[in-house]
Amino acid sequence: MKSARGTGEAESVEPSVGSTGDERRSRTVLSLARGFPWVVATLAVAAVAGVLQLTPWTAAATGLIAAFVLVMAARSAWSMLVKIRHGAFGVDIIAVTAIVAAVLVGEFWAALVVVLMLTTGDALEAYAANRAQRDLTALLSRRPQIAHRVRADGEIEDVPVDDIAAGERILVRTGEVVPVDGILAEAAGSFDESSLTGESLPVDRTVGETVMSGAVNGSSAVVLEVERVAMDSQYQQIIALVEGAASSKAPMVRLADRFALPFALVAYSIAGLAWALSGDPVRFAEVLVVATPCPLIIAAPVAFMAGMSRAAREGIIIRTSATLEKLFRTRNVAFDKTGTLTRGEPTLVDTRPASGEDSTDLLRLAAAVEANSTHTLAAATLAGAHAAGVRAPASEDAREVTAHGVTATVEGNVVAVGKRTFIADHISAEVSRTDLAPGEMAIYVAIGGHYGGALVFRDEVRPEAAAMLRALRALGVRNTMMLTGDDRQTAEHVAASLGISEVHANCLPAEKVSVVAAAIPRPVVMVGDGINDAPVLAVADVGMAMGARGATAASEAADVVILRDDVGRVATTIAIGRETVGIALQSIWIGLSLSVILMLLAAFGLIPAIVGAWLQEGIDVIVILWALRATR
C-alpha cells in the first residue's frame, strides 16, 4: 500500500520523489547510527581524517585519529578492568596494547583499523544476537491481545485477554488464534496446532475436548469455556520461555577467555622477541596489531546465538546458552516413561476380576475410586468405564498415597485401587502379578478387604522413540536410563524394546531425584513431561521438558522445552549442542592459528602495521562467517 501511494504522488508532484528519497536515506543513516554508533563514529573519523590528509592540515588528521583511538582504547581498558575485578582475564588487553603501541610508534591508521575491527566485531555480535532473537520471538507477533467474551445475554463484547476469567465463555472466529486454554462448548471445530505441536495437518476437536491457546481456529467460529486464564495458558507459558531464552547471555565468552591468557603470553613473547632481535620498536606494534583477538572475542558468542536460533526454528527453546555447552559434553540421558517414551494416553484393554467377582462391578467400583485421582491411569479407567457404558457410583473418604494408589468408601465397602504392592499391603496378603504383554500395565483392586481383580491398560511406545535412542548412541551418549513409577515388569518390557541400558522402576518423585543426582557420567540430561517430573528436571544438569502438552510445572523447571510433541527432538537438541559448541571451538582455533601465522610474518618485518591490521580484519570475517554456520 505504501509503495502504490508513493507512485501516485510521484506522478502528480515530481519534486516529492527527491524529498522522499532524501528522507529515506536520512532515516537509514540515523538507524545505523543508533544501532552501531561506534562503527559509524570510527568511519566518520576515518572520512574526516582522510580529507584532512589531502590538505595542508595533515597534523590535524593525525591528532584526530590519535585522540579517537586512545579514547576507544580507554573504553576497552575500562571494560577489561571490570572483567578482571570479577575474576576473569579478558582478551581485551591485547587489543588495548596494540592500539597504544601503534600510536606510540606513529602507526595511527593501523590503530584506527584495529578500532574499526573491534567495533565491527561488536556490531556483528549484536546482529547475530538480534537474528537469534527474531527467531526465538516469532511466536510473540501472534499473541492475541483481545478476546470476544460471550455475555449471559448472548451478546459479544471485546475485552483484553487478561480480563478473561476461568468458567467464562469466549467466541473464537475463523482464522483467529485461540487466546486462552478452553474446552470446546458448542459444536466441533478444526484447529491448526502446528505452532504448538509441529503437526502440519489441522486437528479436529469435539465438544468437551480441550483446545490449547496458540492454536489457530479453522473454517467456522467456535465457543470455548475458559479452562485457564491467560497467564496460566499454554501459549503464555511458551511466550515466557521464549522471552527467557531471548534474554540469556552467551557464556561461551568464558570459554574464549580460557584461551586469552595463553594467547596473550604468546603474542607478547613474539612481539618482545621481534623488538629485541631487530632493535625496532615498530616490530612490537606490527606483531600486536595482527594479534588483536577479535575472533576470540566475537566468534564463539556468534556461534552460540546462531545455535539457539537454529534450535528455535526446530521448535526447541533453549532457555540459557550455558545449556549448549552442557549438551556438548552430555554422555548420559535419563527418560521418564509415561508421556515421554510412550504416548501417555493408556487405554483400558482388559478387566480381570478375581474368582467370584463380576467384571462390570470391578470396573464400576474402580472408576468410583479413581474419580478422586489425577493420575494418567485414573483418567484411563474413567474413560474405559464410560466407553463400556458403566456408571460410577459416588465415593467418600477418599485418600490418595502419591505414586501408590487411592482408597475410598463406595457403597459401604472400602475399595482400594493402585499398584500391586499397595493392594497387598492394604489387604495384608500376597497379590499375584497378572500376566502382561509388552507395553501393557496393570492396576489392582481390593474390595472390602479382599483382592478384587486387575485392570489392564496399554500405552503405546512412541514410534519415533527407537530411532531417537539410536541417534543418541551415534552422538556418543554412553548410557540411557528410564525412570518410572510403574512396576518393573512393565518398565523392563518398554526398556527392552527400545534398547535402554538402565531401568529404575517403582520410583517416587524423590527417588527419581536421588537417581539422577547420583548418576554418572555427568552431565546428565533428564527428559520428562509431567508435573511430577519437575523436581527431577530441576536437579538434572540439563532438564528437558516435552512442553507441548501444557505441563507448565515441568516446563518451568526445565532448561530446554520441546514445543512439539515429538521425543525425537531430544536427539536433535543434543546434536545442535554438539555442533554449535564444535563450531565455536573451530572458530576460535581458526582465528588463533591464522593470527599466530601473521604474528610470525610480522615479527620478520614482512607485514607493515597497516597491512597487518587489514589482514586481521579479513581473518575476523572468515571466523565470524564460520561461526554463523551454526545456524544451519
Side-chain angles (χ1 to χ4, degrees), residues 436-525:
L436 296 174
E440 290 184 344
M441 64 199 76
I443 57 174
Y444 298 81
V445 183
I447 304 170
H450 65 272
Y451 177 59
L455 304 180
V456 179
F457 303 83
R458 176 179 291 276
D459 187 8
E460 297 291 340
V461 173
R462 290 175 181 265
E464 70 273 18
M468 177 271 298
L469 285 157
R470 288 195 298 271
L472 288 182
R473 287 189 284 272
L475 288 167
V477 173
R478 298 203 301 268
N479 189 58
T480 50
M481 300 188 293
M482 186 171 74
L483 314 179
T484 178
D486 290 343
D487 285 341
R488 177 161 293 277
Q489 182 184 13
T490 302
E492 287 181 345
H493 275 311
V494 174
S497 68
L498 295 175
I500 290 176
S501 50
E502 191 176 328
V503 178
H504 296 269
N506 296 303
C507 287
L508 296 172
E511 292 169 333
K512 292 182 180 181
V513 169
S514 299
V515 170
V516 169
I520 53 174
R522 314 293 299 194
V524 176
V525 171

Side-chain angles (χ1 to χ4, degrees), residues 370-452:
E370 290 285 62
N372 300 288
S373 174
T374 58
H375 192 276
T376 305
L377 291 180
T381 301
L382 294 172
H386 179 74
V390 174
R391 185 183 182 89
S395 63
E396 55 187 19
D397 300 328
R399 186 172 65 88
E400 182 168 13
V401 180
T402 303
H404 286 288
V406 188
T407 60
T409 301
V410 184
E411 298 177 343
N413 288 315
V414 176
V415 180
V417 181
K419 289 183 177 180
R420 185 174 59 87
T421 52
F422 177 73
I423 299 303
D425 290 342
H426 177 75
I427 64 175
S428 301
E430 184 65 27
V431 174
S432 299
R433 190 188 303 272
T434 191
D435 292 333
L436 296 174
E440 290 184 344
M441 64 199 76
I443 57 174
Y444 298 81
V445 183
I447 304 170
H450 65 272
Y451 177 59

Side-chain angles (χ1 to χ4, degrees), residues 161-528:
V161 171
D162 292 337
D163 290 350
I164 295 294
E168 291 185 323
R169 291 194 169 198
I170 60 170
L171 174 72
V172 183
R173 297 191 174 108
T174 300
E176 289 186 338
V177 176
V178 177
V180 293
D181 294 352
I183 298 171
L184 200 55
E186 297 177 8
S190 180
F191 301 88
D192 176 3
E193 298 181 352
S194 57
S195 65
L196 301 170
T197 66
E199 173 57 59
S200 58
L201 297 176
V203 177
D204 294 330
R205 300 292 182 195
T206 59
V207 173
E209 287 192 303
T210 296
V211 179
M212 292 187 292
S213 57
V216 179
N217 188 26
S219 57
S220 60
V222 296
V223 174
L224 301 179
E225 182 177 320
V226 177
E227 190 174 18
R228 282 182 284 270
V229 297
M231 66 178 297
D232 296 328
S233 290
Q234 169 75 2
Y235 202 60
Q236 189 63 40
Q237 294 294 329
I238 292 173
I239 287 169
L241 291 169
V242 169
E243 290 174 335
S247 64
S248 71
K249 304 288 185 183
M252 192 62 177
V253 174
R254 294 197 297 268
L255 180 57
D257 283 343
R258 296 174 204 166
F259 293 82
L261 183 57
F263 182 70
L265 293 175
V266 169
Y268 289 138
S269 298
I270 294 174
L273 283 171
W275 184 1
L277 294 176
S278 67
D280 184 1
V282 174
R283 294 281 180 89
F284 183 82
E286 289 173 345
V287 171
L288 289 185
V289 163
V290 297
T292 303
C294 198
L296 210 55
I297 296 171
I298 200 67
V302 167
F304 266 55
M305 291 294 182
M308 293 177 71
S309 171
R310 174 187 166 192
R313 293 197 304 274
E314 295 281 352
I316 300 162
I317 301 299
I318 299 176
R319 299 180 72 167
T320 65
S321 48
T323 301
L324 286 166
E325 195 170 344
K326 294 176 184 176
L327 291 172
F328 176 72
R329 297 183 286 112
T330 292
R331 296 292 181 271
N332 197 353
V333 181
F335 296 91
D336 175 53
K337 183 182 77 68
T338 304
T340 303
L341 293 173
T342 64
R343 292 188 181 279
E345 299 172 354
T347 55
L348 181 66
V349 295
D350 196 10
T351 304
R352 298 175 182 174
S355 177
E357 296 291 342
D358 178 73
S359 61
T360 300
D361 276 345
L362 178 67
L363 179 57
R364 188 172 63 87
L365 295 174
V369 175
E370 290 285 62
N372 300 288
S373 174
T374 58
H375 192 276
T376 305
L377 291 180
T381 301
L382 294 172
H386 179 74
V390 174
R391 185 183 182 89
S395 63
E396 55 187 19
D397 300 328
R399 186 172 65 88
E400 182 168 13
V401 180
T402 303
H404 286 288
V406 188
T407 60
T409 301
V410 184
E411 298 177 343
N413 288 315
V414 176
V415 180
V417 181
K419 289 183 177 180
R420 185 174 59 87
T421 52
F422 177 73
I423 299 303
D425 290 342
H426 177 75
I427 64 175
S428 301
E430 184 65 27
V431 174
S432 299
R433 190 188 303 272
T434 191
D435 292 333
L436 296 174
E440 290 184 344
M441 64 199 76
I443 57 174
Y444 298 81
V445 183
I447 304 170
H450 65 272
Y451 177 59
L455 304 180
V456 179
F457 303 83
R458 176 179 291 276
D459 187 8
E460 297 291 340
V461 173
R462 290 175 181 265
E464 70 273 18
M468 177 271 298
L469 285 157
R470 288 195 298 271
L472 288 182
R473 287 189 284 272
L475 288 167
V477 173
R478 298 203 301 268
N479 189 58
T480 50
M481 300 188 293
M482 186 171 74
L483 314 179
T484 178
D486 290 343
D487 285 341
R488 177 161 293 277
Q489 182 184 13
T490 302
E492 287 181 345
H493 275 311
V494 174
S497 68
L498 295 175
I500 290 176
S501 50
E502 191 176 328
V503 178
H504 296 269
N506 296 303
C507 287
L508 296 172
E511 292 169 333
K512 292 182 180 181
V513 169
S514 299
V515 170
V516 169
I520 53 174
R522 314 293 299 194
V524 176
V525 171
M526 175 67 202
V527 187

Side-chain angles (χ1 to χ4, degrees), residues 6 8 20 28 45 111 115 155 157 212 230 297 320 334 360 394 422 447 465 475 518 551 560 566 573 606 629:
T20 303
T28 301
V45 168
V115 171
E155 293 295 316
E157 61 176 346
M212 292 187 292
I297 296 171
T320 65
T360 300
F422 177 73
I447 304 170
L475 288 167
V560 176
D566 178 5
T573 304
L606 300 176
R629 290 172 57 245

